Amino acid sequence: MPVLSAAQIRAQFIDFFVAQRAHTPVPSSPVVPHHDPTLLFANAGMNQFKPLFLGQVEPGSPLAGLARAANTQKCIRAGGKHNDLDDVGKDTYHHTFFEMLGNWSFGDYFKAEAIDWAWELLTQVWGIDPERLHATYFEGDPSEGLQPDHEARELWRRHLPAERIHPGNKKDNFWEMGDTGPCGPCSEIHFDRSPAKDGGHLVNADAQDTVVEIWNLVFIQFNREPPGLLDLPAKHVDTGMGFERIVRVLQGKDSNYDTDVFSPLFAAIQTITGARAYTPGAHEEALKDPINVAYRVCADHVRSLTFAIADGAEPSNEGRGYVLRSILRRAARFGKQTLGMDTPWLSDVVPTLVEHMGETFPELAKAEPHIRAVINDEEQSFGRTIEQGIKLFEQAASESRTPNLESRIPATAAFQLHDTYGFPIDLTRQMAEERGLTVDEDGFQKLMDEARERSRAGGTADELAPLLLPTSAVDTLEKLSVKPTDDAAKFGPKLARATIRAIWNGEDFDQNTRLKDTKTTAGRVALILDKTNCYAEMGGQLADHAILRTDQGDEFHIEQVKGVGGYICHIGRVTKGELSVGEPGELRRDEQRRSAIAANHTATHLLNLALRAHLGGDTDQKGSLVAPDRLRFDFNAPKPLTPEQAVGVEADVRAQIDADHAVDAKPAPLETARTVAGLRAVFGETYPDPVRVVAIGPTVDELLANPADENWRRFSVEFCGGTHLARTGEAKAFALTAEESVSKGIRRLTALTGEPAERAIAEGERLTAAVGALTGADESTLPTLVPHLTAEVDAAEIPLSTKHTLRAHLAEHQKRAKAASKQAAQAGAKHAAEEAKHLGAEATGDVVIGVIHAGADRGALLAAADTIKANAPDRGILLISPDEDAGKLTIVAKVPEPLIARGLKAGDWVRATAAACSGKGGGKPDSAQGGGTDLTKLEEALAAARTHSTETLG
């Protein structure tokens, strides 16, 4: 059998499922999931199908009604929970960017078909030696009451001997979307590369160079809820095949990097850099050779950068942008140190990648100029400091080997590499590993935390970052005798007098500035004032907004406030006139924003108290965000809140608001304040002395007078430097709207106060009434109403307690809807059978072509065809059923052997018919299925069916 190219392998996979097994081809979703905040990047083929698994598909969505799908999905695993960045270049199979071939069934076929088709594609279409294949199945988990997947094991026994079917534990063979939601056992297919075909003992042993996992078949049949695992009303299949791995297997290579997925990129790198050619192979010499490592890293990283930028991401200092910046700088360092490149060059590899992958992913060609410009600019920027950074690293590496010192890069050097020369910590770690060294990462993280605290830089938008004062600028202010800002009025009135002491444009200090000044960042500057009544962003609380009106009538709108080294930066835009150092004016704070933030901050304290009451005293705050529109609270917990806990926590906070407690805040001696019973402070936080104490209910003086009084545990008492309400009643309302997992053991709650909370509560009441109306609804309407309301409830921003209740009610209505659907399907099948009898009785000639007007599903239509076949066994049968509600046409065909011999094949017949109504289909010569999406083309489809049969049979 001739060796297939990567492009041919991809095409054959899609053809196998789309053309031959009636799967809908679905384009890859963007690798940048802009609408999924839970992901840095798309890291699996199933990401875009989450709404189908969760039952959240909106009517009219492209996913609505989807029963089968197949595609190749762009994926990146770098940063976050799934991170392969550090391993790229070291072995034969790790990548940051990869493709995932997949086929899905959403309530259609299940284990038997998935396993049989996988075996057929691998052994019959691609000709893989069956003796080199192994399969796994889930062995069960008694601790969770999970039974072994004997069904999958027995299905595999039709293809494999027992010794090549292996049990696997929950880690390897049970898939879960998250702490809650759809889940189920999975079955992996492994390829044994050992010469004697005796590598079975290495299955699931992480021995990718000998036994390669090539395909994972996931059988989604459960839904994990706080009470436990429940059976899903519909069972799904989600498979994923690593494209680079299957190409390696089919091309008989020892490494993913030896295939034609990478060889064109290697050729381009060699041409651009003049380096010697890449040496293929998986032996130790080839793997560890520095030139080979550089080829692998640079080719892989260009792939990730190209696809991510094409889909809307760009290198930056935040989130996924920071990951991209790290990827690019790793590649640039290899280019300089190993391949000898002194000028930007990575963007020159992009055209080769576009040439070889642009047909499959046309977005690459459209974005190529932009991709090249972004990569070139970023590499050029890093190029200004990379040489000095490498020198600093070499010095630190040399000193780390001196006597009496640990063999590791010190934290101060790692921090300077990051802060001054732009070396991400993972790049420093990689360089250290190449020298047999480690990095003091704990110390580095401590220095980073201290720097964030000093600069208040956490969470700053990229466009504002240049306006934060660097250390050198703070030194300049001190030399200019500019005193630190007096912010004592930040808890005072909304109006304050202030004088401009300095103007920072991101590069230096100006005496004056105008909006049109080209030196400003996006028209912004930072003012250093002698005094301020604005709260600077700190401790998770967002900053105030304000307007400075000078006595000369100039105006400056303040969009961000940050503290740096005792100086408060008021970042914003000149909106009228011009500003000069020395100008006095009036600072007017945005009190509406201040009040909304204060309400959410006070509610954050009440939420902290309520969580401890319902989860236990060891519940600690792990982070927070206090914004004008919502609050976010992170805390340690091993599992999600139960519905009862969510109701209790929400009720406690509302009770505290309804009680209209006074909120007292004042400084207190640190040592005395620490002894107050029930006091809450953030673990690891360093507090000043005196420390500001915020008490809700009792006064601070009452607490300090008798700090050991156990009664204080009933109230919220915290160390806090933020802004708060005068009384809890000013918060008006409270709604706990979302809970999610941040990381292992850390949960996140989102909540609202004030008018947003009132709107959420009102929306919850509306949906409660709508769900309640289902009780008396006509049974025939339930199959449409229940999924619609379920999706609406899941998407709505309503109280979490209400959402839990509504989901429970909807689950009961879903049972009624399922029964109604079954009854409707039975009625439809009966009606279809009646119509089929008339069609068969009236038919003449070799074929029966007709319309079943019952809106029959595929099963009913096949049964109708069998009814005709029973009375006319020698005729070819093609039936079409339009479904107005689903907006589709269903097509089936059956052809007897005599007509097949004359050239009429069911798969071709359905394919020609479906094409006439904007659809697809196919199948075997004797039986095939398909569908169309344009109901207006019913007559055209019938005509196409007649034409095809007439031309074929003569």
Side-chain angles (χ1 to χ4, degrees):
M1 181 179 291
V3 175
L4 298 171
S5 69
Q8 289 172 322
I9 293 168
R10 186 192 295 113
Q12 286 188 1
F13 179 91
I14 300 298
D15 180 78
F16 181 85
F17 286 101
V18 172
Q20 301 176 41
R21 282 155 187 80
H23 286 59
T24 300
V26 178
S28 170
S29 65
V31 79
V32 180
H34 296 290
H35 302 297
D36 190 345
T38 68
L39 289 172
L40 277 175
F41 300 101
N43 55 32
M46 58 72 58
N47 293 145
Q48 67 173 312
F49 300 115
K50 272 186 180 181
L52 279 165
F53 295 132
L54 295 170
Q56 298 174 348
V57 178
E58 292 286 342
S61 162
L63 298 179
L66 192 64
R68 300 181 180 188
N71 78 346
T72 180
Q73 170 66 44
K74 304 173 291 187
C75 299
I76 289 180
R77 287 188 179 173
K81 180 180 178 181
H82 301 287
N83 185 12
D84 289 340
L85 183 58
D86 288 340
D87 295 314
V88 171
K90 299 176 183 177
D91 57 28
T92 64
Y93 58 90
H94 274 103
H95 313 289
T96 56
F97 173 86
F98 61 98
E99 289 179 61
M100 185 67 78
L101 301 171
N103 60 286
W104 290 267
S105 166
F106 308 106
D108 191 345
Y109 60 83
F110 201 45
K111 296 180 185 179
E113 294 90 342
I115 289 173
D116 288 349
W117 291 344
W119 183 260
E120 182 181 352
L121 177 60
L122 293 174
T123 62
Q124 297 179 34
V125 177
W126 283 337
I128 292 177
D129 181 359
E131 293 184 6
R132 291 196 176 277
L133 294 178
H134 295 255
T136 63
Y137 68 95
F138 179 51
E139 67 185 7
D141 189 337
S143 66
E144 291 203 24
L146 291 168
Q147 298 299 314
D149 190 4
H150 288 155
E151 180 185 5
R153 182 189 65 186
E154 295 306 311
L155 287 168
W156 275 118
R157 283 185 174 176
R158 301 190 304 192
H159 306 293
L160 288 168
E163 64 267 23
R164 286 195 277 125
I165 305 172
H166 310 271
N169 58 27
K170 187 181 176 190
K171 175 180 176 292
D172 293 320
N173 284 88
F174 195 89
W175 177 88
E176 297 181 89
M177 184 179 290
D179 293 335
T180 60
C183 55
C186 56
S187 179
E188 299 168 336
I189 304 172
H190 298 254
F191 180 80
D192 183 0
R193 301 179 67 251
S194 62
K197 305 179 186 179
D198 58 356
H201 63 288
L202 295 175
V203 169
N204 278 339
D206 198 25
Q208 289 287 345
D209 285 329
T210 303
V211 176
V212 184
E213 178 198 334
I214 55 176
W215 207 346
N216 189 13
L217 315 178
V218 180
F219 309 124
I220 304 172
Q221 60 192 91
F222 303 115
N223 190 36
R224 186 181 291 282
E225 293 292 348
L229 288 175
L230 305 173
D231 287 332
L232 284 171
K235 297 178 180 180
H236 313 291
V237 172
D238 166 13
T239 86
M241 175 190 289
F243 177 65
E244 291 77 8
R245 292 184 183 182
I246 193 62
V247 172
R248 166 188 173 185
V249 168
L250 294 178
Q251 293 185 357
K253 302 296 184 181
D254 294 326
S255 165
N256 292 6
Y257 291 95
D258 293 348
T259 68
D260 66 343
V261 173
F262 289 92
S263 57
L265 300 179
F266 289 170
I269 291 172
Q270 183 183 11
T271 299
I272 295 165
T273 65
R276 65 154 174 79
Y278 179 78
T279 307
H283 51 281
E284 185 172 355
E285 182 179 352
L287 286 179
K288 292 189 175 181
D289 175 71
I291 297 291
N292 276 0
V293 172
Y295 268 102
R296 291 193 291 268
V297 169
C298 293
D300 170 87
H301 289 8
V302 167
R303 278 160 48 97
S304 284
L305 291 164
T306 298
F307 278 90
I309 295 169
D311 284 345
E314 290 196 11
S316 70
N317 287 328
E318 296 286 332
R320 63 173 63 100
Y322 177 78
V323 176
L324 291 181
R325 178 161 284 168
S326 297
I327 289 173
L328 189 144
R329 292 184 175 185
R330 285 165 61 98
R333 198 273 299 191
F334 273 102
K336 180 173 183 61
Q337 273 197 302
T338 309
L339 302 179
M341 296 300 292
D342 291 323
T343 57
W345 66 281
L346 292 171
S347 64
D348 295 334
V349 183
V350 173
T352 300
L353 180 61
V354 173
E355 177 185 350
H356 285 82
M357 300 190 75
E359 184 174 350
T360 304
F361 304 104
E363 64 272 20
L364 297 183
K366 294 178 183 177
E368 182 179 343
H370 175 67
I371 295 166
R372 297 194 65 182
V374 170
I375 292 176
N376 186 73
D377 290 349
E378 186 73 13
E379 189 178 7
Q380 199 166 45
S381 173
F382 186 46
R384 300 189 189 106
T385 61
I386 187 172
E387 192 164 331
Q388 296 97 314
I390 290 174
K391 289 179 180 177
L392 172 62
F393 174 85
E394 295 293 349
Q395 179 182 349
S398 175
E399 292 174 353
S400 73
R401 294 191 183 281
T402 56
N404 302 320
L405 285 177
E406 293 182 351
S407 295
R408 65 177 182 174
I409 304 298
T412 51
F415 179 78
Q416 189 177 358
L417 282 166
H418 173 276
D419 192 54
T420 306
Y421 300 109
F423 279 50
I425 184 61
D426 54 3
L427 175 54
T428 302
R429 184 192 310 121
Q430 182 185 57
M431 295 171 68
E433 286 177 0
E434 292 169 2
R435 303 298 184 87
L437 304 172
T438 60
V439 180
D440 180 5
E441 295 193 43
D442 290 340
F444 168 84
Q445 192 58 52
K446 183 178 180 181
L447 291 174
M448 286 290 292
D449 292 341
E450 291 173 359
R452 290 190 186 100
E453 183 61 25
R454 287 195 304 270
S455 67
R456 308 292 192 260
T460 301
D462 288 343
E463 61 184 6
L464 301 182
L467 296 172
L468 296 174
L469 297 179
T471 304
S472 58
V474 172
D475 294 340
T476 302
L477 285 173
E478 293 174 350
K479 292 176 183 177
L480 293 173
S481 299
V482 176
K483 295 181 179 179
T485 307
D486 179 358
D487 67 346
K490 65 184 177 185
F491 298 119
K494 68 178 181 180
L495 297 177
R497 295 289 298 174
T499 301
I500 301 172
R501 292 305 184 199
I503 300 173
W504 173 254
N505 64 22
E507 298 178 359
D508 52 34
F509 293 101
D510 277 351
Q511 285 302 106
N512 59 72
T513 186
R514 293 184 176 86
L515 258 180
K516 63 181 181 180
D517 192 330
T518 58
K519 289 185 292 183
T520 63
T521 302
R524 296 179 176 88
V525 294
L527 304 185
I528 310 300
L529 307 178
D530 65 337
K531 298 177 182 178
T532 187
N533 63 345
C534 291
Y535 184 91
E537 184 174 319
M538 179 176 62
Q541 178 178 325
L542 299 190
D544 285 324
H545 289 177
I547 296 175
L548 174 66
R549 291 189 175 92
T550 70
D551 293 349
Q552 284 72 35
D554 306 318
E555 289 189 3
F556 182 79
H557 281 232
I558 298 167
E559 306 167 6
Q560 177 63 292
V561 185
K562 289 278 189 175
V564 182
Y567 297 93
I568 307 296
C569 292
H570 299 74
I571 301 171
R573 302 173 183 271
V574 178
T575 56
K576 182 180 178 181
E578 62 181 271
L579 302 178
S580 299
V581 171
E583 276 193 89
E586 182 179 74
L587 201 57
R588 180 182 292 270
R589 193 173 61 216
D590 182 344
E591 282 302 284
Q592 185 174 355
R593 177 182 172 88
R594 164 66 74 95
S595 297
I597 290 174
N600 284 328
H601 203 155
T602 299
T604 298
H605 285 215
L606 297 176
L607 177 59
N608 194 358
L609 176 68
L611 283 170
R612 287 180 172 231
H614 288 272
L615 300 184
D618 59 348
T619 303
D620 286 321
Q621 178 179 343
K622 297 297 181 181
S624 67
L625 171 71
V626 181
D629 62 330
R630 67 192 58 242
L631 66 92
R632 220 170 54 202
F633 189 84
D634 297 349
F635 61 101
N636 61 302
K639 56 186 178 181
L641 296 179
T642 65
E644 294 74 21
Q645 288 171 333
V647 169
V649 167
E650 195 172 57
D652 280 7
V653 176
R654 289 178 180 176
Q656 295 273 15
I657 291 172
D658 292 342
D660 195 27
H661 291 303
V663 181
D664 189 28
K666 66 186 301 183
L670 180 59
E671 287 307 313
T672 304
R674 284 189 189 278
T675 64
V676 174
L679 175 112
R680 280 161 290 283
V682 177
F683 177 77
E685 185 75 26
T686 301
Y687 293 99
D689 190 8
V691 64
R692 187 167 181 259
V693 179
V694 175
I696 302 176
T699 67
V700 175
D701 288 338
E702 288 172 336
L703 298 173
L704 298 180
N706 189 11
D709 189 341
E710 289 296 309
N711 187 52
W712 303 141
R713 296 186 184 278
R714 298 189 298 109
F715 300 98
S716 171
V717 183
E718 297 193 29
F719 292 162
C720 178
T723 60
H724 286 273
L725 300 172
R727 305 192 69 87
T728 58
E730 296 171 21
K732 298 181 181 177
F734 178 82
L736 197 61
T737 59
E739 181 187 7
E740 60 186 313
S741 171
V742 178
S743 59
K744 185 173 179 60
I746 304 296
R747 309 293 302 173
R748 171 172 291 169
L749 293 173
T750 302
L752 309 173
T753 61
E755 291 183 6
E758 291 173 340
R759 288 195 295 271
I761 293 168
E763 177 65 3
E765 291 170 348
R766 182 189 72 80
L767 288 171
T768 298
V771 172
L774 291 176
T775 301
D778 187 327
E779 296 288 324
S780 64
T781 65
L782 292 179
T784 300
L785 290 176
V786 172
H788 175 75
L789 273 174
T790 299
E792 198 172 356
V793 167
D794 286 342
E797 190 169 49
I798 60 177
L800 200 56
S801 54
T802 304
K803 186 166 287 193
H804 283 312
T805 301
L806 292 180
R807 281 174 172 165
H809 291 329
L810 284 165
E812 291 301 315
H813 289 303
Q814 178 62 39
K815 295 177 183 177
R816 295 173 58 212
K818 187 176 180 180
S821 294
K822 184 176 180 180
Q823 186 176 0
Q826 290 172 343
K830 182 178 180 181
H831 187 74
E834 292 297 323
E835 287 195 72
K837 289 179 182 178
H838 291 296
L839 281 173
E842 298 171 358
T844 59
D846 292 321
V847 298
V848 177
I849 299 173
V851 178
I852 300 296
H853 292 288
D857 59 19
R858 186 178 289 110
L861 210 54
L862 287 169
D866 287 337
T867 298
I868 297 173
K869 183 178 178 182
N871 295 319
D874 297 329
R875 290 193 177 98
I877 304 164
L878 185 140
L879 301 178
I880 305 178
S881 181
D883 188 337
E884 297 287 347
D885 293 332
K888 66 178 182 178
L889 295 158
T890 301
I891 307 167
V892 302
K894 293 199 172 186
V895 180
E897 188 59 41
L899 295 187
I900 295 173
R902 292 170 58 189
L904 183 62
K905 298 179 180 179
D908 297 337
W909 201 8
V910 167
R911 195 174 294 111
T913 305
C917 53
S918 304
K920 293 186 178 181
K924 298 177 181 179
D926 63 332
S927 180
Q929 307 167 24
T933 59
D934 191 342
L935 286 168
T936 66
K937 298 289 181 65
L938 173 60
E939 291 303 323
E940 286 88 338
L942 290 168
R946 295 187 191 102
T947 299
H948 182 84
S949 62
T950 300
E951 291 178 350
T952 303
L953 297 174

